[in-house]
Amino acid sequence: MILSSHFNYWIVIVLMMIGFFIVISHGNLVKKLMGLSIFQTSVFILYISMGKVAGGTAPILDEAYSVYSNPLPHVLILTAIVVGIATTALGLALVVRINEAYGSIEEGDIEMQDCDKLDKENANK
Amino acid sequence: MSAHLPILQVILPLLAAPTCLLLGRTQLLWMFTCGVSALCAVISFQLLHTVHTSGDIIYSLGGWSAPVGIEYRIDSLNAFVLLLVTSLSTVVLCAAKQSIAKEVPESRQLYFYVAFLLCLAGLLGILCTGDAFNVFVFLEISSLSTYTLIALGRDRRALWASYQYLIMGTIGATFILIGIGLLYMITGTLNMRDLAQRLPDVEQAHTLYTGFAFFIVGVCLKLALFPLHLWLPNAYAYAPSIVTAFLAATATKVAVYVLIRFIFNVFGFDFSLSQFPLPQIWLALGIIGVFAASIVAMSQHNIKRLFAFSSVAQIGYIIMGLSLGTAAGVQAALLHVFNHALMKGAIFLAIAGLCYRLGAATMNEFKGLGKQMPWTMAAIVAGGLSLIGVPLTVGFISKWYLVLAFIEKGWWMIVPFIVIGSLLAVVYVWRLVECAYFQEADSKREAGEAPLSILLPTWILVFANIYFGVQPQFTVHATSIATLGLFGATP
Amino acid sequence: MATAIAIARVKDLFASVMLTGIYSLLSAVFFVLMDAVDVAFTEASVGAGISTILMLSTLTLTGQYEDPTRHKTRTALVVVLVTGALLIFGTADMPRFGDPQTPVQTHVGPHYLEKSYEEIHVPNVVTSVLASYRGFDTFGETVVIFAAGIGVLSLLGFSGRKEKTTISVSAPMYQHRILRVVGKVLIPPILLFALYVQFHGDFGPGGGFQAGVIFAAAIILYTMLFGRQAAEEVIKLSWVRLLAAVGVMLYGSVGLISFLNGKNFLDYSALAADAVSGQHYGILLVELGVGITVTAVMILVFFSFAGRVDKKAEENE
C-alpha cells in the first residue's frame, strides 16, 4: 500500500538529490545553476503532489465538477517558480561577469587564480 | 494611521526602491534613502513602544484574517529586532554617500541605493510576518538584493564571492522551502500561530522531524553557523565596505531571529530542544565555531576578512546561548545579537573610512595608522575591546549574561571555553593594535583622517557601544520582555 | 528522471541546456496531470522558454564544454545520500498521495474552494488566492522579479548606443527572409494573446506573470529577427526600466489606496462601493502591475545579455 502511494514522492526525492548532487559536485558554474533549477523544480513537484485529490480537477470553479484539487500549493509554487527564475537570471549574469573577469567558468580555475593572487599579496607583506 | 504601522514598516522601503529609479540623481538618492530608513527607525521605535505598553499587534493583510490570509504579528521579540535593524541601517546609510561614491562607479550607484532599500525591506518583511511562506518570499527579496550589493565590490573576487553566496543561499532557501512544505503537508496551514497549535497533534510524525531538520539546516546556512559559514568571509571581505557594515550588523541577526521564532513559537520549545540532540549539537558547533574562526582570524592579512571570521565566531556565542534552552540563555543570545550588531557596525564603518582614504584594508596598510588616522583607529580599537568583552563595553554585558546563564544551568565546564574564546579575540585585535601603533608606515603615504560623514556615524556607534555597556537597562529590559514572551507562549 | 540523469552526465553544455528545457517541459506536463494548469503554464514559459534563452546566451559568451574533472565527489555523494535518506525517512508516514482526507485538503484549502466564489466572484480559484487572499506574497514575488532585474542591470548594464548598423549576432535569424516574414505575421497575434492571458486570468489559467512572459517573448522574438538595434529603436530601454518600477508601484499603490480608505493594506473591497466588485478591480489592477513589471524585467534582462553577446562579437572582429 505504502509502496504505491508513496512512489510519487520517492521519484521526487531522487530527482531532488540528482539536482543537489550536480550543484555540489560539478565545477562548471552554468552546470551548477542547472542543478539548482532541477533541485528547485523537483521541490515544486513535491508541493503540487500534495494538492492533488484523486478524482479531482483543476481548481477553476464550474458547475460540472464538484471535486477540485487544492489551489493553495499551486499559488505557492507560482511564486516559487518566479523566485527560481529570478535567481537563475541573476546567477547567469554573475557567471557572465565572472567569465569576463577570470576568463573561465570552472570553479577550480577561479580558485587557483585567487590563491595565486592571495599568495602574491602575502609575499608583499 | 497608527494601526497601519506594521505594514508601513515594510512597504515604505519596498515602494521607495522603485521610486529611486524615478529620482535618478545621486545626491537626491542618498538623502531620500536616508530619509526612508530614518522614518522606518521611527516607526519601529513607535512599534516597540506600543508592544510594550499594549501587547502584540496583529495586522491582517488584504483584510483576510489568518490562516486564510497572511498576517503580520508584532510582539516584543520582533519589535526589538526591528528597532535594531532599522536604526543600524540608518546610521550605516548616513556614512554611505562618500564611501559609495568612492567604491562604486557612478553608473552603478543608483543600483546600490535601490538594492539597499530592497534588502532592508526584505529583512523587515521577514521580521514582521506571521506566515511561514511569506518568510521565504521576503528572504529571497533580501537575498537577491544582497547578491547584487556584494557583486558591486571593485575586486573581481566580489563576483566570485557573490556567486558562491548565491549558490549556498539558494540551497539554504530551498531547504527552508522543503521544510515549510513538509510542515504544510502534515498540518495544512502556513500561519505560524496556527502551525504551533496544530503541530502537537502530529508530534510523532517522521515528516515533522524531516521538516524540522530541513528548516533548521536551511536557516543555519543563512546564519553562517560553523561549518556552514563558507560563503561569509569572502562575501564580507570583497563587498563594498558600507555593504559589509550593513550585512554584518543586520543580515545574520535576522536569520537568528527566524531561528528563535520557529524554535519557540512554531515547533515549540519542548519539541525542538528536548526530542533532538539539537542543544548538544549546537553547543559543540558553537564552541568549535568560536575557536576555529578565531584561530583562522588570527592569520588573516585582509582586515575585512579578519573581522568576517570574527563574526562567525560571534555567531558561535549566540548559538551557544540558544543551545541552553533556558530563558537566561535566550536572553544572553538576544543581547549578543544586539551588541554584536553595534560592535561590528562600528568596526566595519571605521574600516569603510580606512578604505576611503587608503583604497584597501590589509595589515600592510595598517602600519603607522595610529598616528595618521587617530580617530578611525581609536574607533576600531574601541570596537575590538568590545569584541573581546572588556568591562564598560557592550561586549562585556552579553558575555557576562552568557556566563551567568551557563552557571545557572550548571554547565560550569563551558565557562572556561567562553573565557578562552575571548582571549583568542585579544590576540587578533592585538595584532591590529601592534601594527597600527607600534610600527612605522613604510611608505611615504599621506593619509589624513577619514571624512567627517563617515567618522561621525562610526563614532555614534562607538558611543552606543559604550553607552549600552555602562547603562544596559534598556537592552536588558527589552530582551527580558521578549524572552518572557517566548517562554510564556510555550508553557 | 532519465533526463535529469542525462543532464548530470553530458559534458556538452548546450546539450544539457536543451535537456534542462525538456526536463522543465516534462514537469509542466506533470503539473497538468496534477491539475495545476496555472503552474504548468508558468513552468513551460519560464523553464522551457526564458531560462533556456538566458542559458544559451550565457553559453555563447562563455564556451560550450565543461571541464570533466570533479571535485569533492565523495563528499557530495555523502551529503546527498544523507539528505535523501532523511527525506525518505520523512515520507514514511506522509499522507497518502491523492487522499482527500489529508490536513492539506481539510484545513485551509476548503475555505478557498467553498467561499472564494461568494467573496470574490472569480471562477479561477488560483487567481483569487494568488491576487487576493495571499496577495501580499504575490507583491513580494513582483518585488523579487524587480530585484533580479536590478541585479542583472547592475551587473551587465546595457551598453551605450552604437552607430554600427551591421547585423548583430543577437539576431541569428536575420538572414532567413521567410522567418522574418513569418515572424512579422506572428508577433501581433502573440501580443494579442498576451493581452488575452493578462485579462482572462479570472476565468482560465493565466494572469499577469504568464502574460508578461509572453509579451516579453514577442519582443525577444522581434529582436532575434531584426537585431537589437532595430528593437532598441522601437523601445527605449530607460523607459523599460521605468516601467519595471511603475509595475511594482502600481501594485503597491492599490494597497495604499485601500488603506487610505480605511481598510487594511491590499484590501481590495475598499476600491469600490460593493466589496465584490472592489475585489474585481483590485485583482485586475494588481495583475496588470505584475504583468508590466515582468514584461519590463524580462526585456531588460534579455537585452543585457544580448548586449554582452554583441560586445563580444565586436571585440572578436
Side-chain angles (χ1 to χ4, degrees), chain C residues 69-314:
Chain C
T69 50
R70 300 265 178 286
H71 347 255
K72 310 176 273 191
T73 314
R74 200 162 293 161
T75 350
L77 210 59
V78 172
V79 172
V80 167
L81 285 180
V82 169
T83 337
L86 186 62
L87 274 170
I88 299 275
F89 168 77
T91 58
D93 46 19
M94 264 185 197
R96 269 187 322 118
F97 174 69
D99 185 350
Q101 292 308 320
T102 61
V104 172
Q105 310 298 356
T106 51
H107 185 45
V108 179
H111 178 95
Y112 299 131
L113 290 171
E114 287 155 16
K115 299 276 174 57
S116 76
Y117 197 70
E118 186 182 313
E119 286 170 349
I120 298 178
H121 214 74
V122 165
N124 187 351
V125 189
V126 173
T127 303
S128 50
V129 178
L130 185 83
S132 188
Y133 292 111
R134 295 189 68 89
F136 194 63
D137 267 354
T138 311
F139 185 42
E141 166 197 326
T142 319
V143 178
V144 169
I145 279 285
F146 178 71
I150 291 297
V152 172
L153 275 183
S154 84
L155 283 167
L156 300 180
F158 28 74
S159 48
R161 206 146 276 285
K162 298 224 178 62
E163 297 297 310
K164 280 174 66 178
T165 45
T166 47
I167 304 144
S168 70
V169 238
S170 62
M173 288 174 269
Y174 188 81
Q175 290 87 342
H176 304 287
R177 180 159 294 159
I178 301 174
L179 274 181
R180 263 157 64 201
V181 174
V182 173
K184 256 191 179 156
V185 175
L186 267 180
I187 288 171
I190 296 182
L191 292 178
L192 264 181
F193 179 63
L195 289 178
Y196 171 78
V197 172
Q198 171 81 50
F199 296 109
H200 193 66
D202 294 1
F203 307 101
F209 186 77
Q210 293 92 330
V213 172
I214 297 172
F215 210 91
I219 290 166
I220 290 171
L221 180 62
Y222 182 83
T223 318
M224 287 174 128
L225 293 172
F226 300 99
R228 195 164 61 92
Q229 276 84 9
E232 276 178 15
E233 275 167 26
V234 185
I235 39 171
K236 271 227 175 71
L237 284 177
S238 49
W239 284 94
V240 180
R241 196 174 68 180
L242 225 55
L243 271 183
V246 167
V248 174
M249 288 167 75
L250 178 63
Y251 205 135
S253 50
V254 171
L256 288 178
I257 290 171
S258 45
F259 81 50
L260 289 181
N261 286 350
K263 292 283 179 64
N264 277 2
F265 188 69
L266 290 178
D267 190 341
Y268 309 133
S269 53
L271 295 179
D274 170 25
V276 172
S277 54
Q279 291 286 349
H280 265 286
Y281 290 131
I283 291 177
L284 202 70
L285 283 173
V286 300
E287 290 271 17
L288 195 62
V290 176
I292 292 174
T293 301
V294 169
T295 313
V297 169
M298 291 295 163
I299 292 172
L300 282 177
V301 168
F302 177 74
F303 275 89
S304 304
F305 277 93
R308 287 282 153 154
V309 175
D310 281 356
K311 206 169 125 198
K312 194 183 178 196
E314 273 162 29

Side-chain angles (χ1 to χ4, degrees), chain C residues 24-53:
Chain C
S24 202
L25 267 183
L26 287 176
S27 26
V29 171
F30 179 80
F31 291 149
V32 174
L33 289 178
M34 293 290 117
D35 305 333
V37 274
D38 279 280
V39 180
F41 198 168
T42 315
E43 177 67 36
S45 56
V46 166
I50 298 292
S51 78
T52 311
I53 290 180

